Amino acid sequence: MKFLLTLFTSSCFCSTLLAQSANNDEVYTPVPEKISGVGDSAPPSDAIVLFDGRNLDAWHTANTEQAAEWTIADGAFTVNNGAGSIKTKQAFADFQLHIEWSPTDVIQGQGQSRGNSGIFLHSQFEVQVLDSWNNPTYVNGRAGAVYLQHAPLVNVSRPPGQWQSYDIIFTAPVYAATGVLQSPAYVTVIQNGVLVLNHVEIFGATYTDTPEYATSCTPYGQTRQQDCSGRMPLTLQDHGQVVSFRNIWLREL
Ligand code: MG
């Protein structure tokens, strides 16, 4: 046993020595932080929980920053039509977001008027939320789209009334100190466990004409302007339809 241990130790030492002498590509620091992953719907241990089913303390109204008044029931919150969109109190740069959503199964409209909400990354770039189960509309306006910019690769939507998930990896745009855009935003979207957008470039804010980025960054809250700091809140859209959300967490990258 002692011989084997010596041989093993010696072997590891030699291979390390060889690797370090023959190949300087091996890196030993910094050591990745040890965290717990997703388990039983619990978020990773380093996640910022934005909704745990109990309250909207992490959110306020998008326009006036008053108390968010969407409806909370059964561990989820639901768009309170007319109360307006809501946004996080905290601002974020690059992140991984998990969010679950469900359009109502009470069918009242069609196309963009059925189960429409949206997740506005940096409060400007909309990843569409829509009942896309059996609801034809333009493809770059379906669930999983960057609205009017990128259509989802596949339609993996579930019937209305069922819970669906997005896992979103967002890279924030970068502005120089002068306010000039240096690097655009990018997004990857996984819907219900399936890749629907693969690191696509975001061409600019949703609802601008082309779409486009602001010509110069200034603090958010003013139309078509971008926060120079690179950190902005996350906004959920009140589009006038009944859509619920639950289990929302975010990891800053
Ligand atoms: Mg929308």
Side-chain angles (χ1 to χ4, degrees):
M1 176 63 80
K2 186 177 179 181
F3 169 75
L4 287 175
L5 188 62
T6 303
L7 184 65
F8 177 75
T9 305
S10 174
S11 172
C12 288
F13 175 75
C14 287
S15 65
T16 300
L17 198 63
L18 280 171
Q20 287 182 328
S21 59
N23 183 351
N24 287 325
D25 292 339
E26 293 185 358
V27 175
Y28 293 87
T29 59
V31 177
E33 179 186 0
K34 183 179 285 186
I35 66 165
S36 64
V38 177
D40 296 329
S41 297
S45 57
D46 64 346
I48 297 168
V49 176
L50 296 174
F51 181 65
D52 65 0
R54 290 180 291 188
N55 62 64
L56 282 164
D57 289 355
W59 303 80
H60 51 198
T61 59
N63 289 335
T64 59
E65 300 189 349
Q66 302 299 306
E69 294 183 341
W70 289 13
T71 307
I72 302 175
D74 301 325
F77 64 75
T78 301
V79 178
N80 184 6
N81 297 329
S85 300
I86 62 173
K87 68 181 179 185
T88 55
K89 294 176 181 176
Q90 196 170 344
F92 309 102
D94 302 343
F95 58 76
Q96 172 188 354
L97 170 70
H98 176 85
I99 186 165
E100 298 174 15
W101 52 276
S102 173
T104 177
D105 59 359
V106 179
I107 304 300
Q108 293 182 323
Q110 59 183 356
Q112 294 295 310
S113 298
R114 185 186 297 182
N116 193 333
S117 181
I119 300 159
F120 279 74
L121 313 172
H122 263 205
S123 296
Q124 298 196 48
F125 316 116
E126 182 182 14
V127 173
Q128 176 70 303
V129 167
L130 194 77
D131 171 13
S132 294
W133 169 249
N134 184 19
N135 181 32
T137 186
Y138 41 95
V139 296
N140 58 356
R142 306 178 69 116
V146 174
Y147 189 71
L148 298 183
Q149 298 186 33
H150 296 285
L153 296 168
V154 291
N155 181 2
V156 69
S157 293
R158 294 172 179 158
Q162 293 190 17
W163 283 103
Q164 310 197 44
S165 65
Y166 280 156
D167 289 281
I168 296 173
I169 294 93
F170 175 69
T171 303
V174 176
Y175 283 81
T178 56
V180 175
L181 181 70
Q182 284 189 317
S183 175
Y186 293 89
V187 68
T188 295
V189 179
I190 296 169
Q191 180 183 358
N192 302 330
V194 174
L195 183 71
V196 293
L197 290 177
N198 187 12
H199 194 65
V200 297
E201 178 181 337
I202 296 177
F203 302 134
T206 308
Y207 302 129
T208 52
D209 292 337
T210 47
E212 60 194 359
Y213 287 90
T215 53
S216 180
C217 60
T218 52
Y220 70 85
Q222 302 172 47
T223 303
R224 298 174 61 176
Q225 294 180 330
Q226 175 73 40
D227 184 2
C228 303
S229 73
R231 305 176 75 85
M232 293 184 73
L234 189 71
T235 293
L236 299 181
Q237 183 186 39
D238 174 2
H239 196 277
Q241 281 120 57
V242 180
V243 182
S244 300
F245 296 89
R246 72 178 186 187
N247 193 16
I248 308 172
W249 52 260
L250 180 151
R251 297 180 61 249
E252 294 183 296
L253 301 176

